[in-house]
Amino acid sequence: MQPIDSKIKRAQRKGAGVYVLTGLLTLGVLGAFGLWLFFIKGFSVLVGPSDALSSAKIELVSGFAWVGNSSVYTLGGEVSIKVSAPTFEPSLVSINDQSPSTIDIMLMPSPAVINAQVILGENSRSQTQYLAQTQWFLDGVLIYIGAELEYKTAPGSYQLRATNPYFTASIQSLSLVRAQTVELSARLGEVSGIITINSLPSGVEVNIDGDNQGKTPLIFAAKGGRYAVRLSSDDYLTIEETIAVQTNTLSPVRNYQLLPKPGVLNISASPNNGLLLINNIEYSLGQIDLAANKPHKIHYTKAGHTSYINTINVNKETPTRINVSLTPLYGQVTITTNVPAALSINGNSTQKSPVSARFLAVKQSVTASAQGFRSASTSFTPQANKTNNVNINLLTEFAARKAEGKPLFINTLGIAMRKFNGDAFTMGSPANETGRRRNEHQVDLDFSRPFWVSEKEITQTQFSAFLGASTGVNSNLPITGISWLEAAQYCNWLSQQEGLPVFYRFNNGRYMGADVSSNGYRLPTEGEWEWLAKKAKRAVSTVYVWGNQEKLRDNQGNFADKSMNTAQLIFFDDYEDGKAGPADVGSFKADRIGLYDLDGNVSEWVHDYYTTSLPDMSKRHLDYLGAARGESWVIKGGNYETGRLRELRAAFREFSSSGKETIGFRIARYDSRE
């Protein structure tokens, strides 16, 4: 009995241990479940639109979470899910502790894709080279240019139109659903036109696309496209042009004026620096092409010499050669002064006055200097084969200053002025001038009042005196970046320093106009500036400050030379002036009238308002000041960024209402009326 009892007791103890272990495990599971319920956070995901709801799918992208059909459970931290549905664009969503418990996600429909290509109609000739110019419009909006289209768009109904300048258009209506790819062909039709070619004279051979089509007048039936047209004759210069037959120009008409093939004139002259006019047009000596078998009037002149006038014909076979020799003309001149004085004639010192000598019959300049007297200068032009008298009256410095009222303040700033007497000329440019712009109106001008102009552009140092000593600088660079109004106020300030009436009227800083009767400092007028640039000391007007030559000499002026090739796109690649930016005023040689940087360095404000209204061109304007009103002002002259020859022409004009780093100014004033 005892062994059996022992077994029973052991079994009872073992059963009790199992019960205890099971209980402990149950308590652990219940505790873990409770902790999970305490820390877990659930989110409901609502997917739209309704078309996407039934097939929507939610996937875990990153983080720790349990994802169901419409819910997400996390233990904290950030997770990322992707929501997708067929024919809709998937959406990525981040969820964190700050996210709302209900997350609304609206899926966007997948776009439809249009694949289209252009084809030509069955009767169209092969012109595939033009297909790249096809323009595609969807509901009137240009979406692509090219022969083949691939374009994504939202589902819906559309009108697709393909146009080409050389074919008829193709229009198709489309009804697109999401995620749909549509393959289309746009069929373009052929257009027909007529090219009409006339010429003066007629009977000229016409070649189209390499084939001889006959003589002018010619009518040529053409399909849409571009055609190379060539007119040629033994007696006239060949004309070549490309003519397009397009949907908007089906019947182009050309009326050509053929120019005769030229003959050659070789002309030389002594002296060789005179003015050569052929049919009243200026030329340079050397070989010149002229119309053959026509009379041409030759006129060669140089101041102080006899003139050469002749009429010639040239032919196409043999060059015509002419050598011109002019005879110098002299006049006897006696120069006297009110006190004994040393004379400098044309910059060369001579003996003391009086002087009697023979001079070439051209404009001469003489300066008389004497101790205790202010130097006086004058100019004269001797009359040939006659005796001329020139008298110079010198004043003491005291008398000269008394006559002027006070010493010139500008001299203390280092501003030198030159006096000019303008004569009649035409401002602007003729219609045939190379590079001409439409705003260069031709206006006949004349001057009744002598005027003074500063030799150089105003410097930073000279302008800083106007701003006050505290802002003073020491620089001979031209002042730039200032407005027209600031330049005008500077002129008024100079007038006030010298006791002159101000030229510009301001009221509380607002510009009110000019006092044209004032001889105070001002900006040069556009007419004065252009006269200085192209007419002063010239028999006839020139295109540029330096003359009519189309070639720049190195170090001629401060323009955009080849050193600017990394700073800007437009520059003179065969020119060098040693400056990459603005230069000190007067760094380059003065022009023929003693002014510096008129054509370069910085552009310059002038007095005139800029306006698009045409001036009265039926009369000659005297002392022209430009338009009476405007919103901006005229700018003249090139600058260190100018890289086109046409912008260095004297007639070239720009405008602005505010200052720029390329714009400065020089000063002027009318001569005193005393």
Side-chain angles (χ1 to χ4, degrees):
M1 288 295 293
Q2 189 173 357
I4 294 174
D5 293 337
S6 298
K7 291 180 179 181
I8 291 172
K9 291 180 180 180
R10 285 197 300 273
Q12 290 174 339
R13 288 196 296 271
K14 184 176 181 181
V18 171
Y19 292 144
V20 172
L21 181 59
T22 299
L24 291 174
L25 288 173
T26 299
L27 290 174
V29 170
L30 291 174
F33 181 70
L35 290 173
W36 181 76
L37 289 175
F38 182 78
F39 289 106
I40 196 169
K41 188 171 183 180
F43 300 89
S44 295
V45 180
L46 299 181
V47 180
S50 58
D51 292 352
L53 180 59
S54 60
S55 59
K57 179 181 178 182
I58 303 175
E59 301 175 75
L60 181 65
V61 176
S62 63
F64 296 97
W66 179 84
V67 177
N69 290 334
S70 61
S71 58
V72 177
Y73 298 95
T74 73
L75 290 175
E78 185 167 308
V79 299
S80 179
I81 62 172
K82 182 175 77 171
V83 180
S84 60
T87 71
F88 289 88
E89 295 296 288
S91 177
L92 289 176
V93 179
S94 294
I95 301 175
N96 53 39
D97 293 341
Q98 283 71 45
S99 300
S101 58
T102 299
I103 299 174
D104 293 315
I105 299 175
M106 183 63 65
L107 298 182
M108 301 301 296
S110 295
V113 179
I114 303 173
N115 289 328
Q117 63 178 355
V118 176
I119 61 174
L120 299 179
E122 294 179 359
N123 296 325
S124 297
R125 66 178 185 152
S126 177
Q127 293 177 306
T128 55
Q129 70 270 29
Y130 303 128
L131 296 185
Q133 300 181 45
T134 302
Q135 295 183 325
W136 300 86
F137 296 86
L138 197 63
D139 280 354
V141 178
L142 179 65
I143 58 174
Y144 184 68
I145 299 176
E148 296 183 355
L149 170 69
E150 181 179 350
Y151 187 74
K152 294 180 179 180
T153 187
S157 296
Y158 298 95
Q159 184 186 76
L160 179 66
R161 179 163 58 97
T163 65
N164 190 291
Y166 303 107
F167 302 96
T168 60
S170 168
I171 301 176
Q172 302 180 61
S173 296
L174 306 178
S175 181
L176 306 176
V177 299
R178 59 179 181 264
Q180 178 187 14
T181 298
V182 178
E183 303 286 342
L184 300 173
S185 294
R187 185 178 298 273
L188 303 181
E190 185 178 69
V191 297
S192 298
I194 295 175
I195 299 175
T196 302
I197 300 176
N198 302 309
S199 70
L200 190 65
S202 59
V204 178
E205 296 286 346
V206 180
N207 185 291
I208 299 179
D209 282 350
D211 297 326
N212 193 321
Q213 299 295 335
K215 298 182 178 181
T216 58
L218 177 71
I219 296 177
F220 178 74
K223 304 297 182 184
R226 298 172 63 83
Y227 296 85
V229 177
R230 184 173 186 267
L231 281 71
S232 58
S233 168
D234 291 338
D235 297 322
Y236 294 90
L237 296 175
T238 297
I239 292 178
E240 294 181 341
E241 184 187 5
T242 297
I243 300 178
V245 175
Q246 305 178 95
T247 54
N248 61 350
T249 313
L250 292 176
S251 301
V253 178
R254 295 293 186 271
N255 297 300
Y256 296 108
Q257 173 73 57
L258 279 74
L259 298 176
K261 289 185 177 178
V264 175
L265 169 66
N266 280 317
I267 184 168
S268 58
S270 175
N272 62 5
N273 57 346
L275 174 66
L276 173 63
L277 297 178
I278 302 179
N279 301 324
N280 293 320
I281 299 174
E282 184 177 352
Y283 288 86
S284 298
L285 295 171
Q287 181 172 304
I288 301 169
D289 290 340
L290 298 174
N293 303 318
K294 290 179 60 176
H296 300 282
K297 184 177 180 181
I298 311 297
H299 190 189
Y300 186 73
T301 60
K302 179 174 173 58
H305 295 74
T306 58
S307 298
Y308 173 85
I309 300 176
N310 194 12
T311 300
I312 65 166
N313 287 310
V314 295
N315 58 65
K316 295 180 291 184
E317 291 75 24
T318 305
T320 300
R321 301 182 183 276
I322 297 177
N323 182 45
V324 177
S325 180
L326 303 184
T327 302
L329 300 173
Y330 295 92
Q332 188 72 23
V333 179
T334 299
I335 304 174
T336 59
T337 57
N338 60 324
V339 295
L343 300 180
S344 174
I345 301 176
N346 298 324
N348 300 314
S349 297
T350 63
Q351 65 269 37
K352 288 184 177 293
S353 61
V355 168
S356 182
R358 226 168 51 118
F359 290 90
L360 192 65
V362 297
K363 191 173 185 179
Q364 312 282 342
S365 61
V366 56
T367 299
S369 304
Q371 184 69 31
F373 290 82
R374 178 177 289 185
S375 297
S377 300
T378 189
S379 60
F380 60 92
T381 302
Q383 290 183 290
N385 304 318
K386 292 186 177 181
T387 300
N388 305 263
N389 296 310
V390 177
N391 182 61
I392 302 176
N393 187 39
L394 282 78
L395 297 177
T396 64
E397 186 65 23
F398 176 81
R401 291 188 179 190
K402 183 178 180 181
E404 294 170 350
K406 59 167 49 179
L408 290 180
F409 176 75
I410 60 169
N411 293 341
T412 67
L413 298 179
I415 300 176
M417 307 280 285
R418 284 184 176 268
K419 183 180 177 181
F420 296 95
N421 291 280
D423 59 356
F425 87 113
T426 300
M427 184 173 71
S429 61
N432 63 348
E433 183 169 301
T434 302
R436 182 183 192 269
R437 300 202 309 176
R438 293 177 62 185
N439 67 351
E440 298 169 13
H441 314 300
Q442 286 195 298
V443 186
D444 292 333
L445 305 183
D446 204 350
F447 306 87
S448 68
R449 305 173 65 179
F451 59 92
W452 296 79
V453 176
S454 62
E455 293 181 352
K456 302 174 184 178
E457 294 157 340
I458 300 303
T459 68
Q460 294 179 10
T461 296
Q462 292 161 355
F463 193 81
S464 70
F466 162 60
L467 300 177
S470 61
T471 58
V473 295
N474 184 19
S475 172
N476 282 325
L477 289 172
I479 184 67
T480 60
I482 64 168
S483 67
W484 184 95
L485 294 173
E486 290 172 301
Q489 290 168 341
Y490 178 78
C491 292
N492 278 2
W493 176 74
L494 288 178
S495 299
Q496 291 166 349
Q497 306 311 303
E498 297 189 2
L500 295 172
V502 297
F503 191 84
Y504 297 107
R505 293 182 289 108
F506 288 88
N507 185 7
N508 295 325
R510 183 178 179 183
Y511 177 58
M512 304 300 292
D515 177 5
V516 298
S517 65
S518 167
N519 62 343
Y521 292 99
R522 56 178 173 81
L523 298 171
T525 67
E526 184 178 11
E528 291 169 345
W529 194 101
E530 197 164 315
W531 181 86
L532 294 167
K534 73 180 186 183
K535 184 61 169 60
K537 283 194 176 181
R538 299 163 175 86
V540 295
S541 294
T542 60
V543 175
Y544 307 98
V545 172
W546 61 85
N548 293 314
Q549 296 79 15
E550 299 288 336
K551 178 71 175 177
L552 294 177
R553 307 182 308 275
D554 278 349
N555 296 311
Q556 180 171 323
N558 191 8
F559 316 125
D561 63 4
K562 58 187 178 182
S563 68
M564 300 287 284
N565 62 346
T566 59
Q568 60 186 53
L569 294 176
I570 306 299
F571 58 93
F572 295 111
D573 59 0
D574 58 348
Y575 175 70
E576 185 172 3
D577 56 35
K579 307 291 182 183
D584 286 351
V585 299
S587 295
F588 297 85
K589 186 178 178 180
D591 59 27
R592 69 182 74 188
I593 58 174
L595 300 185
Y596 296 83
D597 303 322
L598 201 62
D599 54 354
N601 206 20
V602 294
S603 302
E604 299 175 11
W605 289 117
V606 294
H607 168 80
D608 304 41
Y609 274 122
Y610 181 87
T611 177
T612 56
S613 300
L614 288 175
D616 183 359
M617 292 185 284
S618 64
K619 66 177 184 179
R620 183 174 295 279
H621 296 263
L622 192 64
D623 301 329
Y624 185 60
L625 292 173
R629 60 184 59 85
E631 298 297 329
S632 54
W633 285 272
V634 177
I635 303 163
K636 298 290 285 184
N639 58 69
Y640 61 90
E641 291 186 353
T642 301
R644 291 186 176 95
L645 199 60
R646 67 189 184 195
E647 296 175 9
L648 297 180
R649 294 177 301 109
F652 184 83
R653 61 204 302 256
E654 285 284 16
F655 64 93
S656 181
S657 58
S658 59
K660 297 180 182 179
E661 291 305 311
T662 56
I663 304 175
F665 71 101
R666 69 180 70 228
I667 60 172
R669 73 177 183 91
Y670 288 121
D671 193 38
S672 300
R673 293 176 172 175
E674 298 176 350

